[in-house]
Structure formats: C-alpha cells, structure tokens
C-alpha cells in the first residue's frame, strides 16, 4: 500500500507537471499566435502603404507626363505664333519698302511734271495727279496702322 500511495503521489505529481507543461505550451502557442497575427497585421499595413505609394507614384508620373505634354504644346504654339509674327513682320516691311519706292517714284514723276509745267507755264501752280495722291493716302494708312 505504501508503494501504491507513493506511485499514486508520483503519478499525481507527474500529472501536475504535465498539466503545467501543457499550460506553458498552450501559453507559448497563444503567444506565438498573437505574435504571428501581429506580424501579419504589420505586414498587411506595410503592403497597404507600399501599394498606396505605388499608386501615388503612378499618379504623379501620369500628371508629370501630362504637364510635360502641356508645356511642349504651349512651346510649340509659342513657336508657331513667333513664326507667324515674323512672317507678318517681313510682309509688312516688304510692303512698306514697296510703298516707299512707289512714293519716291511718284514724287520724282510729280517733280518732273511740276518742272515741265513750270517750264511750260510759269503762272500755273504745281499740282499732284491722282496716282500720287493715292500712293500718299495708302502710305499714310500704313504708317498709322
């Protein structure tokens, strides 16, 4: 009986030790599960931040490309307008030179007519013909425009 009681006591102690080991193992498993869950949450949060960063980078790259496109289009428009103005300026300068030459020619012609009329009749006053008047009118319109 003593041996049986001793064996029962030892068995009881082993059961208690086993229960303590099981409780410790369960606590360790629980703690590991919590750590795994926490790590999974952190990893999920990190992935979400990473994905958000990628989306933001993509959006910013698209906006940058659009802005570059707008800037290039504006530069092309400015260049087109600059060429157009240069062409208009050249045309106006050419027209001004032509009008100046026509005016000079008309003045020479008018002076010759005046000299001829003065020679023919010293009493008559110099006058301008219709061509000289139209050239002067066109030149004055060009100058005021």
């Amino acid at each position: 009986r003593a041996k049986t009681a001793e064996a029962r006591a030892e068995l009881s102690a082993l059961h208690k030790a086993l229960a303590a080991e099981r409780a410790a193992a369960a606590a360790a498993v629980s703690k590991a599960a919590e750590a795994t869950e926490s790590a999974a949450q952190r990893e999920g949060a990190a992935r979400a931040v990473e994905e958000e960063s990628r989306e933001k980078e993509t959006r910013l790259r698209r906006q940058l490309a659009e802005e570059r496109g707008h800037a290039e289009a504006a530069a092309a428009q400015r260049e087109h307008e600059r060429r157009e103005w240069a062409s208009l300026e050249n045309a106006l300068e050419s027209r001004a030179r032509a009008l100046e030459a026509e005016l000079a020619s008309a003045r020479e012609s008018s002076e010759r007519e005046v000299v001829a009329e003065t020679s023919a009749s010293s009493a008559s006053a110099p006058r301008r013909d219709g061509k000289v008047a139209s050239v002067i009118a066109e030149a004055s319109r060009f100058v005021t425009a």
Side-chain angles (χ1 to χ4, degrees), residues 116-137:
E117 284 181 21
T118 303
S119 300
S121 170
S122 58
S124 66
R127 60 189 178 110
R128 294 186 179 138
D129 65 4
K131 184 174 182 181
V132 173
S134 71
V135 168
I136 291 172

Side-chain angles (χ1 to χ4, degrees), residues 53-67:
S53 294
R54 274 195 291 269
E55 289 172 1
K56 187 175 184 179
E57 180 182 3
T58 300
R59 185 178 69 251
L60 290 174
R61 285 183 190 274
R62 185 176 48 252
Q63 286 176 344
L64 178 60
E66 288 173 5
E67 289 299 321

Side-chain angles (χ1 to χ4, degrees), residues 2-38:
K3 283 190 174 189
T4 305
E6 216 179 275
R8 282 188 185 159
E10 191 178 327
L11 184 60
S12 177
L14 287 174
H15 279 297
K16 286 181 185 177
L18 180 61
E21 292 279 332
R22 284 183 178 162
V29 167
S30 176
K31 193 172 186 180
E34 287 175 12
T36 302
E37 185 178 339
S38 177

